[in-house]
């Protein structure tokens, strides 16, 4: 069927790129893009990502990042001290 359509600039650019890559006419390129869009619409949508969480029993307030980093540094220092004591022992 022959008809006149107005294409958005980005659609025209995609169709022209398809023409260059596959050495086809503009009508064929628009048809391929439309069919690809229809096929994509038929695919089931992916379920949205949800973050799984678990209670680890930690009792720290993570809203203050500076405080959390200081606490982690303190734990690292304690681990190093304990490791040094075991190595010397």
């Amino acid at each position: 069927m022959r008809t006149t359509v107005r294409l958005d600039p980005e659609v025209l650019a995609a169709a022209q790129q398809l023409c260059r890559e596959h050495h086809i006419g503009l009508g064929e390129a628009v048809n391929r893009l439309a069919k690809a869009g229809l096929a994509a619409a038929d695919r089931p949508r992916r379920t949205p990502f949800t973050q799984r969480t678990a209670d680890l029993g930690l009792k720290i307030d993570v809203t203050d990042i500076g405080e959390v980093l200081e606490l982690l540094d303190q734990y690292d220092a304690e681990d190093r001290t304990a490791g040094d004591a075991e190595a010397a022992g």
Side-chain angles (χ1 to χ4, degrees):
M1 180 175 120
R2 197 171 170 89
T3 188
T4 301
V5 295
R6 292 177 204 253
L7 302 176
D8 289 339
E10 62 272 14
V11 175
L12 178 60
Q16 288 173 332
Q17 181 177 352
L18 205 58
C19 289
R20 286 189 300 274
E21 291 173 356
H22 297 280
H23 307 289
I24 58 176
L26 185 61
E28 177 64 21
V30 171
N31 276 328
R32 287 186 186 187
L33 291 172
K35 288 177 182 178
L38 290 170
D42 288 341
R43 281 187 239 131
R45 296 188 183 264
R46 294 174 59 180
T47 57
F49 174 80
T50 55
Q51 179 67 47
R52 293 181 295 175
T53 60
D55 183 9
L56 301 176
L58 297 176
K59 303 295 183 203
I60 60 172
D61 180 11
V62 294
T63 57
D64 182 356
I65 299 301
E67 185 179 327
V68 171
L69 293 173
E70 287 178 24
L71 184 60
L72 289 173
D73 286 342
Q74 179 184 351
Y75 286 147
D76 285 343
E78 289 172 4
D79 285 345
R80 281 192 297 273
T81 303
D84 291 344
E86 288 177 11

